[in-house]
Amino acid sequence: MTARIIDGKAAAARLRERVSELAASFWTSAGRQAGLAVVLVGDDPASNVYVRSKGKATIAAGMASFEHRLPESTTEDELIALVDALNESEAVDGILVQLPLPAHIREAAVLTRISPDKDVDGFHPVNAGRLATGLHGFVPCTPLGCLMLLEQELGDLAGLDAVVIGRSNIVGKPMAALLTARSATVTLAHSKTRDLSGHVRRADIVVAAVGRPRFVKGEWLKPGATVIDVGINRTPEGLVGDVDFDGAASIAGAITPVPGGVGPMTIACLLRNTIVAAHRNAGVPLEKGAI
Ligand code: NAD
């Protein structure tokens, strides 16, 4: 193996430390804690684990956590009524509705109801539009974490060739927008892309968000490329990413492991977005570049 391992756990720990410092100074300035509300409908086991760990991380950072666990039978109207109440609540700076929602609830109806100023997941179309047009807004946590790891590894990304594999609203599309904003030359590849390995072969940066275990092969990579593996796939051998790690690690210059790469950054970025939201909502100034 020749690639450097990009330590997402360590980067996430540093970011969380910074959030804690800002959460403490916010509490003093605003006279209240910053707060994150997490809403879970139903009892999907994976979602349960995510919600629990988000709550714990919020409290560990010195912010208030409000967990709302609703039964599977909750109606769309009931869920929207809760979102409205959270939008109004002065104790709540960020609102996160855990996905997926039960089939009888329209995801878009709920996500568009969250106030864009409390949309710490960055899924509201207003925030997607702000990202696309270069305005201040909230950026989805997973691609934001990927960008931070890339900048930590490579510094300035201007002029680099980047391939993002996957075009979901949660990862691929915002990732491509973030890299474009950093002046990388971006190719957004997806299930209909022709000659994917040919595209990957030219890339200095590869971000894989496909949802298929070990899909990206080491021999596709340009030697020295930086590889960010977003995938979380449960297999009989445990958690694996969307990149064939062993094959890629002998050709890439640097690569994120799974687990321990992008995953820890996602939660850290959620905390980051929440403390930023708190400052904006309470009118407490936050220096540019403070986080
Ligand atoms: P998704 O299923 O919404 O999107 C997958 C994308 O992959 C689609 O845009 C599709 O076009 C593309 N794709 C499918 N087959 C392809 C192929 N053969 N060639 C090229 N592209 C192809 O998935 P998502 O929500 O973006 O998540 C992607 C992966 O990232 C999943 O493994 C998910 O578990 C993981 N994920 C991890 C985190 C984290 O915190 N680390 C967060 C979100 C998602």
Side-chain angles (χ1 to χ4, degrees), residues 1-15:
M1 189 176 83
T2 53
R4 278 186 308 284
I5 303 300
I6 302 174
D7 188 346
K9 255 190 175 163
R14 286 193 297 274
L15 181 55

Side-chain angles (χ1 to χ4, degrees), residues 155-173:
D156 188 6
L157 308 183
L160 295 180
D161 287 316
V163 170
V164 177
I165 315 174
R167 58 175 159 184
S168 71
N169 289 336
I170 296 173
V171 188
K173 278 185 212 161

Side-chain angles (χ1 to χ4, degrees), residues 50 141-143 146 165-172 189-193 196 208-213 215 220 229-234 240-242 261-267:
Y50 292 142
C141 302
T142 299
C146 294
I165 315 174
R167 58 175 159 184
S168 71
N169 289 336
I170 296 173
V171 188
H190 46 75
S191 53
K192 300 286 193 291
T193 296
L196 179 61
V210 192
R212 295 177 175 224
F215 176 72
W220 296 3
D229 188 350
V230 182
I232 300 179
N233 305 291
R234 283 163 229 280
V240 301
D242 289 345
V262 172
M265 284 302 281
T266 297
I267 284 202

Side-chain angles (χ1 to χ4, degrees), residues 165 206-218 221 227-233 240-249 252 255-256 258:
I165 315 174
V206 179
V207 180
V210 192
R212 295 177 175 224
R214 304 190 184 93
F215 176 72
V216 176
K217 307 299 175 209
L221 298 171
V227 179
I228 303 291
D229 188 350
V230 182
I232 300 179
N233 305 291
V240 301
D242 289 345
V243 178
D244 176 21
F245 183 87
D246 293 336
I255 184 167
T256 56
V258 177

Side-chain angles (χ1 to χ4, degrees), residues 35-46:
L36 173 65
V38 179
V39 181
L40 174 62
V41 185
D43 42 27
D44 175 67

Side-chain angles (χ1 to χ4, degrees), residues 4 62 65 70 96 175 201 218 229 235 238 288:
R4 278 186 308 284
S65 167
L70 307 179
L96 182 156
M175 187 76 243
R201 181 90 186 112
D229 188 350
T235 72
K288 198 169 179 272

